[in-house]
């Protein structure tokens, strides 16, 4: 018959710990961003600047591409077919290429930011 006294058992763990505690001085950019510290603000501001730089580059190229067209059309009298051809066909490919460049650049900026912020 088992005794009424519960016997305490000690368990000895002989394996390595699965998680290791990091040193208290470990640098974590994600924490800096979550806690909205000055350094975290700087990280986010750097991402926003790189995205803004890409957007302004696209806008500048688009302005240089489309901006002079009214002057060209005004200089050529009775060139209605040329206007439609230039606006409908000649601008399509450069605008698609410009849009693809912008999307790739924005995704690359975000990938670089995530790589910077991820725990190592």
């Amino acid at each position: 018959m088992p005794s009424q006294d519960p016997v305490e058992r000690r368990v000895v763990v002989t394996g390595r710990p699965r998680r290791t505690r990091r040193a208290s001085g470990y640098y974590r950019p994600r924490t800096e961003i979550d806690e909205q510290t000055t350094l975290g603000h700087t990280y986010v501001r750097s991402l926003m600047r790189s995205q803004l730089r890409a957007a302004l580059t696209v806008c500048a190229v688009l302005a240089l591409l489309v901006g002079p067209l009214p002057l060209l059309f005004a200089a050529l009298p009775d060139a209605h077919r040329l206007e439609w051809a230039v606006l409908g066909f000649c601008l399509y490919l450069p605008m698609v290429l410009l849009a693809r460049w912008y999307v790739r650049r924005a995704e690359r900026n975000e990938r670089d930011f995530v790589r910077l912020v991820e725990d190592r």
Side-chain angles (χ1 to χ4, degrees), residues 24-78:
S24 62
Y26 179 68
Y27 170 70
R28 296 186 59 194
R30 183 175 289 170
T31 305
E32 297 287 338
I33 293 170
D34 290 341
E35 293 177 0
Q36 297 181 353
T37 63
T38 305
L39 184 60
H41 180 70
T42 304
Y43 280 132
V44 173
R45 190 174 42 189
S46 114
L47 172 66
M48 291 175 66
R49 274 191 191 151
S50 61
Q51 297 291 50
L52 179 63
R53 191 177 310 119
L56 290 177
T57 301
V58 167
C59 288
V61 170
L62 190 60
L64 290 174
L65 189 65
V66 177
L69 289 180
L71 296 174
L72 174 71
F73 296 151
L76 300 173
D78 297 328

Side-chain angles (χ1 to χ4, degrees), residues 73-85:
F73 296 151
L76 300 173
D78 297 328
H80 297 293
R81 288 187 179 172
L82 175 67
E83 292 172 8
W84 283 108

